[in-house]
Structures are given as C-alpha cells and as structure tokens.
Amino acid sequence: VSCTAASFCMAVDLYGNAFEYSDGAWTELAKAADPGHEVDSVSCVSVKFCVAVDNTGLYVVYTGTSWSTPVQTNIPGAQLSSVSCFSTSFCAAVSARGNAAVYAGTTWSPSTSIDGTSSLKSVSCWSSTACMAVDAAGNAFLYAAGSGTWSTFSIDPHGRGLNSVSCDSGGTCAAVDFVGDAFIYNATWGPVASIDPTSTHGLTSVSCPSTSFCAASDVSANVLTYDGTSWGPL
C-alpha cells in the first residue's frame, strides 16, 4: 500500500488487483496486471501517478483514471519485490534476484546486479538522487544518482533478513528484520536495537513519514513507534 495523503492511498494484491482509497472509502479499480501475475509493490507520488510492479518484471503506471499497458522493465529474472517513486520522473525497483534499476519518467536504466548473494526485499527513495534498499542477508544498499552506483553496508552483524526499509524526506531511514531488530540510518547506520524480541517471526514492515516518527509492525499484529530517539513499547 502507498499513501500520498490522509485522503488518498493505493493498494495492490497478489492477484493483480488494485484498490484506491479516497473520500473515506476503498474502490476496486481495473486490474493492474494480467491474471496470474502477482503485483508485489506499488508507490504513489500523487493521486495521478502511481507505479506498480509484478513478479514477471512488468510495470504499470496509474494516471488518475486508469492503469497503463504493462511494459517490461530492464531487470532480468523478473521477481520484482519493491518499487519506490520520489517523483513522476524518478523511481527505483529491486528484485528477488539481487538486481536494481531506476526509472527516468519513460524508460528504465540498464539493470545493475547489486546483490549477488541474496534477494532484495525493499527499497525507499527520498530524493531524485538517493534511495536505500535492503536484502534478506542483513545488507543495505545506498543509491547515489551522481555516480549511478549502489554502495553496500553490512548493517546486521548476524546476517539476519531485513524485510523493510523506509526513508523520510531528509534521508533518515529505518530498517527492520525478521527477528525483531531495528536499525536507523542518519548519514551512517546505527547499532542494532532489539525492539520486538518476543515476536515469532519478527518485523515485516516499517514506515517513516518524518525524522521524529516511524511505525513498525510484526506478523503477530503488534506495532511499535519510533520518536526520533527510541522505540516505544510493543
């Protein structure tokens, strides 16, 4: 799910369906993907621009009234796991096979293999020049548009799977893993914080709209919040 304001969200599911939230209600739209294609991620910039990606390497663009015809990205091996858009002319997508590419409004850049050992799980872009991605082996990858390259950080000393990353507009990021640990990035990655040690399968998602607020959820329906300094009670 991706929300641009309290009045607009877009959600997609594994059956290719898309749902728009506006005026206090959810409405099912025309399918975002062909039947049999799992839509794995969506990212919206406004009510008139969303990008969704599926498990075969296709992407579609929502223009406020309908979805575009599916088009193949330049990412080989398909299995796109996450997409993040900062504007109508800049997005990044990552795949379960360790590849990444950026979108420049009409076309995707050549794919880059940034992770040869693990699957990329999540990506978050906070400007037209920077994105952060995380993988299933405890690594984070920083994209800098100036160089067009991804830098690698090993942020989880135990190599645990990072499930989600979210960055605010200032470039502060939070990442969570499947054993209940959280990590904060502010120019550098900070130490591990065990915020959900009792969860059976750990933290699955995190969202940070500002430097002073993040919310993380786990598979046991628990939620924790971050106030810019520490994580609150479960």
Side-chain angles (χ1 to χ4, degrees):
V1 63
S2 179
C3 301
T4 62
S7 58
F8 177 79
C9 300
M10 184 72 72
V12 295
D13 71 14
L14 296 182
Y15 296 97
N17 301 307
F19 307 85
E20 178 183 335
Y21 177 82
S22 62
D23 299 324
W26 288 93
T27 303
E28 184 172 359
L29 305 176
K31 282 185 176 291
D34 296 331
H37 290 200
E38 298 178 357
V39 184
D40 291 326
S41 181
V42 64
S43 181
C44 298
V45 174
S46 70
V47 297
K48 294 185 177 181
F49 186 83
C50 300
V51 172
V53 296
D54 75 11
N55 66 331
T56 68
L58 297 173
Y59 80 99
V60 287
V61 177
Y62 182 72
T63 59
T65 56
S66 62
W67 293 95
S68 66
T69 301
V71 178
Q72 194 73 35
T73 65
N74 291 331
I75 302 177
Q79 296 181 8
L80 296 174
S81 54
S82 181
V83 63
S84 177
C85 295
F86 173 74
S87 68
T88 58
S89 59
F90 184 77
C91 305
V94 296
S95 81
R97 297 191 177 184
N99 298 301
V102 296
Y103 175 76
T106 56
T107 59
W108 291 86
S109 69
S111 175
T112 302
S113 178
I114 66 173
D115 192 341
T117 60
S118 185
S119 62
L120 293 163
K121 304 286 286 184
S122 177
V123 63
S124 181
C125 300
W126 66 87
S127 75
S128 60
T129 60
C131 304
M132 190 73 75
V134 294
D135 73 5
N139 301 303
F141 305 84
L142 174 64
Y143 175 78
S147 62
T149 59
W150 296 80
S151 303
T152 305
F153 301 85
S154 180
I155 68 173
D156 192 328
H158 305 290
R160 293 161 175 161
L162 294 163
N163 285 326
S164 181
V165 63
S166 179
C167 304
D168 66 29
S169 59
T172 297
C173 306
V176 293
D177 70 13
F178 75 91
V179 293
D181 295 334
F183 307 82
I184 299 296
Y185 175 84
N186 189 353
T188 60
W189 283 99
V192 58
S194 181
I195 65 172
D196 191 3
T198 62
S199 176
T200 304
H201 295 98
L203 297 158
T204 57
S205 184
V206 64
S207 180
C208 302
S210 72
T211 303
S212 59
F213 183 78
C214 298
S217 60
D218 70 15
V219 295
S220 301
N222 299 305
V223 175
L224 301 102
T225 58
Y226 178 75
D227 62 7
T229 304
S230 60
W231 291 89
L234 195 65

